[in-house]
Amino acid sequence: MRLLLLGGVVVLALLLVGWLGLSQSRYGRAMSLLVRMGKVPGPVAAHIGGWQTTTVDRVLLSFTGRHGDRVARLYRPQRVRTRPLLLSGGVHALGIDEPRLIAFAEALARSGTPVVTPSLPDLKEYRITPRLTDDIEDAALAVLAAAEVPQDVDGRIGLLGISFAGGLSIVAAGREALRDRVGFVFSVGGHARLPGVMRYLCTGRQPDGRMHPPHEYGAVILLTNVAEDVVPAAQVAPLRAAVHQFLHASHVDMFDKPQAAVEFARARAMEAGLPPEAQSLMHLVNTRDAAGLGTRLLPFIDRWGTDPALSPASSPAPRAPVFVMHAQDDDVIPDSEAPALGAFLRGHGTPTRVHVTSLMSHAEVARPPTAGELLTLVRMWAELPW
């Protein structure tokens, strides 16, 4: 009996040592972050979510890029465990003040990663332009030069881009000024070739030939970008203002239905005040007729989005490893972009890992992960070259 009891104590001790070892490892840090981000329920998850966390303060950084003065927000952990990370969000009028981006940056920083979110003016205006890639490159260089940002021993930075910023971060990492100063790139819901994505948003046909209904949001974003081509010059600004009101209402609809109804009513009122050409397009927006809007925009998309700075598969590939995560059945940037991106990068010698998952909805977590999904993500996140 004493031997059995002693054996039980030894087993418990080994389990405790293993548990403590896991909690202090990079896998433990990754598990803690993903449990917190995925809002995994239960007391064990709550305990794991506290592993290797630290307090965070916020600092506003200012720098001058090639397209003017820029700002960025630094989330600075008290205890630094990794290289700094430039986190570029997707298309949204709130920019670096978007609540989901703030929550993500805060969660990363609590795990010991200095995080910088750059303000990208064109994305705040729902515009996808070559200036964005310049802004990401300039912001990364500014972070590497900033005294306020804790630096890694090898003087490199990680880049993480969400949605369209995912592909653009890969382009920026392949440029000469950054090629040897990037530790890794992580693209969440990014693209390989922008023209193919635009055609999908207009037609529902993915670049690989599969049909999948696109989200109405995508064609509306296209409209803001090709407005100069589809209406007379005097109508461009009022049409964009009305479209921005609709997109604002769509955001409010995520958390305040009564207020969203008021905001959508404003978008319809703005439609009524537009001249006929712009009014007809805005009516398609307000009635959520993605197919009709796509048909109207399709003849014009070849005039926009063909600059190599907007497509990773048209630009020099990074030397740093690239990690690609994409939502299965994504209806904004189709999931066929993930394997296309992987094939292009591997073909140019870039170490690349691609993961397509049903856990996500475009560029955000859609549900708590299963145990198997969590383990897969933990391994992927832990093995980033932090």
Side-chain angles (χ1 to χ4, degrees):
M1 182 62 70
R2 285 196 298 269
L3 287 173
L4 287 172
L5 288 172
L6 180 61
V9 169
V10 170
V11 169
L12 286 173
L14 290 173
L15 288 173
L16 180 60
V17 169
W19 185 257
L20 290 173
L22 173 62
S23 71
Q24 297 304 310
S25 70
R26 63 167 51 195
Y27 292 93
R29 186 170 67 245
M31 187 177 295
S32 172
L33 172 68
L34 293 167
V35 161
R36 282 183 280 119
M37 287 176 49
K39 299 179 180 178
V40 179
V44 174
H47 175 72
I48 292 172
W51 286 352
Q52 298 191 56
T53 55
T54 185
T55 57
V56 176
D57 65 0
R58 301 182 188 182
V59 179
L60 200 63
L61 305 177
S62 299
F63 64 96
T64 300
R66 72 197 78 178
H67 300 297
D69 294 336
R70 297 289 187 261
V71 297
R73 182 175 289 129
L74 164 63
Y75 297 78
R76 185 168 52 192
Q78 183 182 46
R79 180 172 181 184
V80 176
R81 293 187 171 92
T82 76
R83 68 175 79 252
L85 180 73
L86 186 76
L87 170 61
S88 301
V91 180
H92 202 286
L94 293 179
I96 62 174
D97 296 318
E98 203 279 313
R100 292 169 297 179
L101 182 67
I102 291 173
F104 187 24
E106 187 79 23
L108 288 165
R110 284 192 64 206
S111 293
T113 297
V115 179
V116 176
T117 55
S119 179
L120 302 171
D122 284 351
L123 284 186
K124 291 186 67 172
E125 294 295 321
Y126 304 100
R127 307 290 300 279
I128 302 170
T129 74
R131 288 189 299 268
L132 289 169
T133 310
D134 296 342
D135 281 346
I136 292 172
E137 179 187 5
D138 291 346
L141 292 171
V143 169
L144 289 167
E148 300 92 337
V149 182
Q151 301 294 326
D152 194 61
V153 291
D154 67 359
R156 295 174 187 249
I157 188 173
L159 302 184
L160 195 159
I162 300 171
S163 188
F164 288 104
L168 301 183
S169 294
I170 295 172
V171 177
R175 291 183 168 180
E176 192 61 35
L178 278 181
R179 293 193 77 186
D180 295 319
R181 306 196 69 185
V182 173
F184 66 88
V185 188
F186 202 124
S187 169
V188 180
H191 63 285
R193 293 178 175 85
L194 187 58
V197 174
M198 294 188 305
R199 192 164 293 276
Y200 161 71
L201 292 173
C202 288
T203 66
R205 183 177 295 279
Q206 299 187 159
D208 64 358
R210 290 181 293 150
M211 296 297 296
H212 183 62
H215 196 286
E216 65 205 32
Y217 169 89
V220 176
I221 295 298
L222 285 183
L223 177 57
T224 66
N225 283 273
V226 300
E228 291 95 340
D229 293 324
V230 297
V231 296
Q235 299 181 29
V236 170
L239 173 59
R240 281 199 175 122
V243 171
H244 290 185
Q245 175 60 34
F246 174 86
L247 290 167
H248 169 67
S250 299
H251 172 67
V252 174
D253 192 53
M254 297 172 63
F255 55 86
D256 189 342
K257 299 292 184 183
Q259 183 59 37
V262 174
E263 301 297 340
F264 281 125
R266 288 176 181 162
R268 292 191 294 272
M270 294 175 77
E271 172 196 327
L274 292 172
E277 298 93 334
Q279 187 180 93
S280 65
L281 289 163
M282 191 62 203
H283 183 71
L284 295 172
V285 172
N286 280 327
T287 57
R288 302 174 186 270
D289 186 354
L293 185 58
T295 299
R296 291 281 299 273
L297 300 181
L298 186 60
F300 302 97
I301 62 171
D302 288 339
R303 304 182 193 177
W304 175 75
T306 56
D307 192 301
L310 295 174
S311 295
S314 300
S315 302
R319 292 184 180 133
V322 176
F323 295 74
V324 177
M325 184 178 293
H326 211 103
Q328 184 177 327
D329 297 326
D330 192 330
D331 58 2
V332 177
I333 297 177
D335 59 16
S336 59
E337 291 298 281
L341 192 50
F344 170 80
L345 293 170
R346 293 187 190 106
H348 287 76
T350 301
T352 307
R353 179 182 292 184
V354 175
H355 181 58
V356 178
T357 174
S358 62
L359 178 63
M360 294 171 54
S361 173
H362 182 46
E364 59 185 306
V365 177
R367 57 176 173 78
T370 64
E373 288 170 334
L374 182 60
L375 290 174
T376 298
L377 293 175
V378 165
R379 181 179 178 185
M380 184 175 186
W381 196 263
E383 293 177 1
L384 287 171
W386 290 104

